[in-house]
Amino acid sequence: MEAGGSDTDGREFKNAEEMWREEVGEGDDQKKTEWYRKGVGYWEGVEASVDGVLGGYGHVDEADVKGSEAFLKNLLVDRFGSGLRNRHLVALDCGSGIGRITKNLLLRYFNEVDLVEPVSHFLEAARESLVPENSTISDMHKAVNFYLLPLQEFTPEAGRYDVIWVQWCIGQLSDDDFVSFFKRAMAGLKPDGFFVVKENVAKSGFVLDKDDQSITRSDLYFKELFNQCGLHLYKSKDQKGFPEELFAVKMYALTSKQKRVTRSKVHSNKPAIIK
């Protein structure tokens, strides 16, 4: 990514490569580990509530879900057509936090939803909310697996998912881990499955947040990385109705350019599951 950017301390960078060399080094595993440790550490200090996971902007939850639902509904019809009614739909909620998107959106459209999240008290709150004790959870629409793992270490089960939903979390990953994650995750999609990526978008270049160790990328930056991942941009849409002081938010629907990876060729890392 050749465009310059800045961080929240006011430092300017000529390009993303310069910033990443500074933040995670080149082949420096210890420095990258520290980057991720600080990021998770920030969120470990945040309350497990809608307002907490939305950075004090809990009031945008309704507009967010409505925008996502309108985008998703059209995609499901476009991709699965007349077979949608009889299809057993499975989704993966990446960076799920407290299960806000699973509860308010995904469980209304998918028969099964798995959640993956690196912050333990967020994931525990999601489990308690989505699978409360002594309740009669519908067998038709249920949260199934709760994976306590960061995305850079997660490999989905091969061929399980119709949709892999990635929202407000991919900014925690360095560029190389971003590409590696999507290349692994492609094998987790069913042959006609797709990704939805919903993220803050910088006007140009990037903005590095020094508090939570995350990067907000521009639309062009995202598209360059999607291309490196072997992903095809199927559709995109701007989120409407958010406060003007926030970053713009964009939704991307992505499909694989590659031939489907067969189940027998995939070796997945076994993630930890909260029972």
Side-chain angles (χ1 to χ4, degrees), residues 122-151:
F122 285 176
L123 195 63
E124 184 60 28
R127 188 192 64 78
E128 291 175 359
S129 171
L130 296 166
V131 192
E133 291 184 15
N134 303 320
S135 70
T136 55
I137 298 297
S138 169
D139 285 336
M140 294 300 295
H141 298 273
K142 58 186 178 181
V144 178
N145 295 306
F146 296 79
Y147 298 118
L148 181 62
L149 213 66
L151 292 186

Side-chain angles (χ1 to χ4, degrees), residues 29 53 122 225 241 244 248 251 256-257:
D29 291 342
V53 297
F122 285 176
L225 289 179
E244 291 185 2
M251 293 172 275
S256 174
K257 294 178 181 178

Side-chain angles (χ1 to χ4, degrees), residues 11 25 27 50 60 62 66 82 91 93 95 120 128 130 132 143 154 170 194 199 201 225 236-237 246:
R11 178 174 176 180
V50 171
V60 307
E62 184 177 352
K66 284 183 177 179
S82 60
D93 184 357
S120 59
E128 291 175 359
L130 296 166
F154 181 75
I170 205 68
F194 58 93
E199 290 289 342
V201 176
L225 289 179
S236 64
K237 187 177 182 180
L246 298 180

Side-chain angles (χ1 to χ4, degrees), residues 62-76:
E62 184 177 352
D64 171 57
V65 172
K66 284 183 177 179
S68 296
E69 182 173 18
F71 192 56
L72 177 63
K73 283 172 68 174
N74 288 332
L75 288 167
L76 291 174

Side-chain angles (χ1 to χ4, degrees), residues 60-169:
V60 307
D61 174 61
E62 184 177 352
D64 171 57
V65 172
K66 284 183 177 179
S68 296
E69 182 173 18
F71 192 56
L72 177 63
K73 283 172 68 174
N74 288 332
L75 288 167
L76 291 174
V77 173
D78 285 350
R79 295 293 293 174
F80 306 140
S82 60
L84 180 60
R85 184 181 297 272
N86 298 317
R87 188 177 179 118
H88 185 86
L89 292 170
V90 184
L92 174 66
D93 184 357
C94 294
S96 63
I98 62 171
R100 180 184 69 89
I101 298 164
T102 292
K103 184 175 184 177
N104 295 336
L105 175 63
L106 299 180
L107 280 178
R108 293 195 283 115
Y109 289 88
F110 295 87
N111 303 101
E112 297 182 25
V113 181
D114 293 343
L115 296 82
V116 56
E117 165 61 44
V119 179
S120 59
H121 75 290
F122 285 176
L123 195 63
E124 184 60 28
R127 188 192 64 78
E128 291 175 359
S129 171
L130 296 166
V131 192
E133 291 184 15
N134 303 320
S135 70
T136 55
I137 298 297
S138 169
D139 285 336
M140 294 300 295
H141 298 273
K142 58 186 178 181
V144 178
N145 295 306
F146 296 79
Y147 298 118
L148 181 62
L149 213 66
L151 292 186
Q152 70 272 14
E153 297 177 19
F154 181 75
T155 299
E157 178 185 336
R160 172 163 169 75
Y161 301 106
D162 298 279
V163 174
I164 295 179
W165 192 279
V166 182
Q167 180 170 349
W168 286 331
C169 62

